[in-house]
Structure formats: structure tokens, C-alpha cells
Amino acid sequence: AQGWDTRIEVAGRTADRLTTATDASGELWLVDAAWPAMVADERARQSRPDLLGNPSEPLARSPLTLVVWTDRADALRSSCGELGWACIIETAGRDWPVVGGAASWGRVVPGHGPADTTAGLVTLSALAGELLGTTEFASNDFGAPGFRSELSVVERAVPDFTPSSGTPLEHMLVFGPASYSFATEVEAVARSVVEGSRDAGRLEISVPDQRAVVDVVVVSTNGAAVSGSVVDELTAVLVGQGWQDPDESGNGRPAPGVAAALRSLWPELT
């Protein structure tokens, strides 16, 4: 918004900072709706006073996607039937010939960001939901037989969650199919990165049938309400960048507190 300096920071880093902050006046946080809820829950658990204002209603939304090299996508569909979270779980780390691909491709290498990022945490939530058979799981479901071991197989097949070229998707565009077989990314971000790139014709952006959606809100870090003019301005910017208008459909994700527990579990899985 006009009159505000912009700082780009990993969502989890901001959340950790705001969880223990005593004063963060003068900031607006534009972020997926789960993060302010996680901060508020953790501050309450630590008996800290409220810091954040009430988050706005969602300004815009965008689903998580799989960005796949087209030849790899064909092989995965041949093996799995459809591209989705179940296919990632089934194929991650396996030799390509086992799932219908060429031996020269090596192994199926998934890519996603760390659980401190929105796309990374939403990916982890979507995979967990697929393993547990529901998007409304609770943290005590993490003890289900095979859950941690099967999720760990996927996570340990990711060679680098923070590659040198930026996100896994950005790394794919620099180093080609030898880097990652596919990567997850929020659709609005994926299209802005892929479209116009030299590899646009070699990549497919696919939204899994089991949608996991990012809803963007804005919240003040000093407890104040965010003005309607700021909300309108930020909404226009997001829509101009390919984000969709919000609607009443669900986001296909667990409650924020469960996502926070999954984030805490993630280091054990990698």
C-alpha cells in the first residue's frame, strides 16, 4: 500500500518473530490466513498479551499446484492415473523405469519449500491429509500406523528445500529436469514464474483434484484495524497478479493449530 515500506520475509520467520514480540507497531502482514491464527494461538499458550489486530476477510485465494515436466507428467499419469498427492506419495524417490519413465531420468525427485513457507506447509498438510484420508485431521492422528514413515519417505526424497536458485520451482527453470521432477507452488506464483520462461512449453501446471487453497489476509501487528482503502488496494494488486476472488468454498486444509503441529513435526521427517 502507498506510504508503506515493503519487506519480503518467509512466513514462518515472521510468525516466530511476532510470537515473542513485545511491540511490532506500524506493520501490516500480508500472508496466508493460517499464519496469524498460529501466532495468536501460540501467544495465548505462552500467556502473552494479544499483539495482532483482527485479520481481514480473505482478499484473494489461489490453489496449490504441481508444476511438472510434461514428459514426466505423462509417465506419472500412466502409473498413477492422475496427478495428485497420492501420486507423489506413491512415486517419490523411486526409479523412473518402475513408474513408466526413462532410465536416463534417474529417480522421481519431488520439490517443495520448507515448512516455514506457505507453499511448503500447505504441501505438507495436503500430503498428510492424503495419508490420513481426510483434510480435517488432528495432531493426535500423527500417531497413526505408518503415517510418519510414509510421509518421511516423501520428505527425504526432496534433495534440497532451499536450493541456491530460490524456490524449487525457480531452481527447475535454471537447471531443468535434472533438478526436480516436479515442484509444488501456489498457482498464482507458479504462473507468474513459468509463463514467459524459456521452458513454459515443457512444463504443466496441474491443480490436484483434492484442492488445498491459500487464502490471503492482511493483519495489523499493533492491534489496529486495517483500513478499507488499504484492503481494496492490496486486493487489486493480488488480483492483478493472478490471484482469484475469494469464495465460500473450503480451503481443503486442517485447522491452523494442526498445521502448527505439523510444522513442528517436519524436522523429524526430513
Side-chain angles (χ1 to χ4, degrees):
Q2 292 182 351
W4 293 83
D5 294 328
T6 301
R7 173 172 58 189
I8 298 175
E9 186 174 56
V10 172
R13 188 174 304 151
T14 305
D16 291 343
R17 176 168 56 83
L18 294 176
T19 294
T20 57
T22 56
D23 178 20
S25 59
E27 292 186 355
L28 293 179
W29 192 17
L30 186 69
V31 70
D32 173 63
W35 291 101
M38 286 190 274
V39 170
D41 287 350
E42 184 59 21
R43 287 184 69 89
R45 192 187 69 81
Q46 296 180 15
S47 299
R48 296 179 183 272
D50 292 340
L51 181 73
L52 304 180
N54 291 325
S56 68
E57 292 297 315
L59 310 182
R61 60 177 8 205
S62 192
L64 196 66
T65 65
L66 296 176
V67 185
V68 194
W69 298 102
T70 53
D71 52 358
R72 272 67 168 172
D74 291 341
L76 290 172
R77 283 197 177 91
S78 176
S79 176
C80 302
E82 64 181 44
L83 290 177
W85 312 119
C87 191
I88 293 178
I89 294 166
E90 180 182 330
T91 63
R94 301 182 72 184
D95 292 332
W96 268 111
V98 176
V99 296
S104 60
W105 297 352
R107 293 187 175 184
V108 179
V109 181
H112 70 76
D116 281 346
T117 66
T118 294
L121 186 56
V122 176
T123 299
L124 200 62
S125 297
L127 294 170
E130 182 65 38
L131 286 168
L132 295 169
T134 176
T135 60
E136 299 180 353
F137 57 88
S139 58
N140 57 10
D141 292 321
F142 299 168
F147 172 76
R148 297 187 187 210
S149 60
E150 290 184 65
L151 189 53
S152 182
V153 168
V154 179
E155 295 306 284
R156 291 174 181 173
V158 179
D160 195 344
F161 296 95
T162 56
S164 59
S165 300
T167 66
L169 176 55
E170 290 168 333
H171 201 71
M172 283 173 64
L173 293 177
V174 174
F175 293 99
S179 56
Y180 299 95
S181 307
F182 52 80
T184 64
E185 185 54 90
V186 179
E187 182 179 34
V189 177
R191 294 199 181 280
S192 70
V193 172
V194 172
E195 293 176 358
S197 73
R198 65 183 181 184
D199 285 318
R202 302 174 61 202
L203 288 165
E204 175 182 332
I205 300 175
S206 177
V207 179
D209 287 343
Q210 184 59 56
R211 287 162 58 93
V213 180
V214 173
D215 286 305
V216 177
V217 300
V218 61
V219 60
S220 166
T221 61
N222 65 357
V226 180
S227 72
S229 61
V230 169
V231 168
D232 290 345
E233 184 177 347
L234 291 172
T235 299
V237 170
L238 289 167
V239 172
Q241 294 176 345
W243 291 75
Q244 303 164 8
D245 291 331
D247 58 47
E248 298 301 318
S249 62
N251 62 13
R253 295 164 54 188
V258 180
L262 194 56
R263 181 190 175 204
S264 296
L265 176 65
W266 183 67
E268 299 178 23
L269 304 173
T270 59

